[in-house]
Amino acid sequence: KNEVEQSPQNLTAQEGEFITINCSYSVGISALHWLQQHPGGGIVSLFMLSSGKKKHGRLIATINIQEKHSSLHITASHPRDSAVYICAVRIQGAQKLVFGQGTRLTINP
Amino acid sequence: EPEVTQTPSHQVTQMGQEVILRCVPISNHLYFYWYRQILGQKVEFLVSFYNNEISEKSEIFDDQFSVERPDGSNFTLKIRSTKLEDSAMYFCASSERGITEAFFGQGTRLTVV
């Protein structure tokens, strides 16, 4: 069983729609990361969370430690948001990140 | 804005050859990492490095792999005798401390033929 599960695996939406990507994990963590991977392959860090909620522009990330669940929301989605969004967790007591399989988001104009 | 840089962006090598992938972490960061992503699969941890020694490694990181910080700026991953299954995108990352946010380079795509 994967330690980090994301849903959905693929998501297609129209420009302007509100997007939600979910991440569930089964291990104790010290932090959770949301990352973005573009077609060229590079990975960009969006958020690091250990509790509560963070907002950056049109992106919002929340985490519920008790339920072992995090969500990434995108408001007013735009075609340039099209990318793979990856959830990764830092397991308690370790430095390494354990990655989910990613959610491929496509926003159509 | 400071960034992690990796070179080369793409390397093609013959099976059995040695390759060295290079990374320049963000200058005030103390923790360094290598991850890899086989095409179509999720990103996997290889190794973390702190204070000039390996602090954590995965079972993927066997004797064929080694890491080094040869000077004050570079962090390298060496694969001694490449196999076809080593073909992947290799990402370097760094963080200020072990518990702070990790920043990733753009990756090196390694193709073993």
Side-chain angles (χ1 to χ4, degrees):
Chain A
K1 184 183 183 301
N2 290 327
E3 292 162 305
V4 182
E5 295 275 2
Q6 289 184 235
S7 62
Q9 287 191 22
N10 293 283
L11 178 57
T12 300
Q14 290 300 120
E15 184 172 356
E17 285 189 40
F18 181 81
I19 302 299
T20 296
I21 299 170
N22 296 299
C23 175
S24 296
Y25 53 92
S26 57
V27 294
I29 69 168
S30 56
L32 182 143
H33 294 244
W34 281 102
L35 306 145
Q36 183 189 56
Q37 185 171 34
H38 278 281
I43 292 175
V44 174
S45 178
L46 298 174
F47 295 104
M48 186 182 79
L49 293 163
S50 52
S51 64
K53 177 178 171 177
K54 284 191 176 178
K55 184 175 189 291
H56 184 248
R58 294 181 294 107
L59 301 177
I60 303 165
T62 63
I63 187 167
N64 185 318
I65 297 292
Q66 286 73 31
E67 294 187 5
K68 294 188 173 178
H69 181 267
S70 175
S71 294
L72 176 69
H73 305 285
I74 306 175
T75 61
S77 59
H78 190 277
R80 65 175 174 265
D81 297 326
S82 298
V84 176
Y85 291 84
I86 304 172
C87 171
V89 301
R90 188 187 305 118
I91 295 175
Q92 275 175 346
Q95 295 149 18
K96 69 178 184 183
L97 294 177
V98 176
F99 285 70
Q101 78 275 28
T103 294
R104 183 174 299 278
L105 174 66
T106 304
I107 304 295
N108 293 318
Chain B
E1 185 176 320
E3 59 181 17
V4 177
T5 56
Q6 290 186 242
T7 54
S9 57
H10 190 188
Q11 178 150 2
V12 181
T13 189
Q14 289 210 320
M15 195 166 55
Q17 295 295 303
E18 174 184 287
V19 295
I20 298 175
L21 310 183
R22 291 183 166 79
C23 169
V24 179
I26 294 172
S27 63
N28 64 331
H29 285 188
L30 301 178
Y31 289 79
F32 315 115
Y33 313 88
W34 284 102
Y35 291 84
R36 79 171 184 191
Q37 185 178 33
I38 294 170
L39 188 64
Q41 298 186 21
K42 61 183 180 179
V43 178
E44 303 171 288
F45 170 76
L46 291 177
V47 66
S48 61
F49 191 85
Y50 168 71
N51 201 26
N52 281 320
E53 60 183 29
I54 291 173
S55 49
E56 200 174 352
K57 63 180 181 178
S58 71
E59 55 252 24
I60 302 168
F61 194 87
D62 61 21
D63 292 344
Q64 295 281 43
F65 292 89
S66 62
V67 289
E68 197 177 37
R69 189 154 160 83
D71 54 41
S73 59
N74 289 287
F75 178 53
T76 61
L77 173 70
K78 183 192 292 186
I79 309 175
R80 286 191 184 81
S81 177
T82 50
K83 303 188 277 283
L84 294 175
E85 53 264 37
D86 294 326
S87 295
M89 182 78 105
Y90 288 80
F91 292 102
C92 174
S94 69
S95 62
E96 195 173 344
R97 291 178 289 144
I99 58 170
T100 53
E101 189 171 6
F103 292 86
F104 286 79
Q106 289 300 299
T108 292
R109 185 171 298 283
L110 176 66
T111 303
V112 182
V113 296

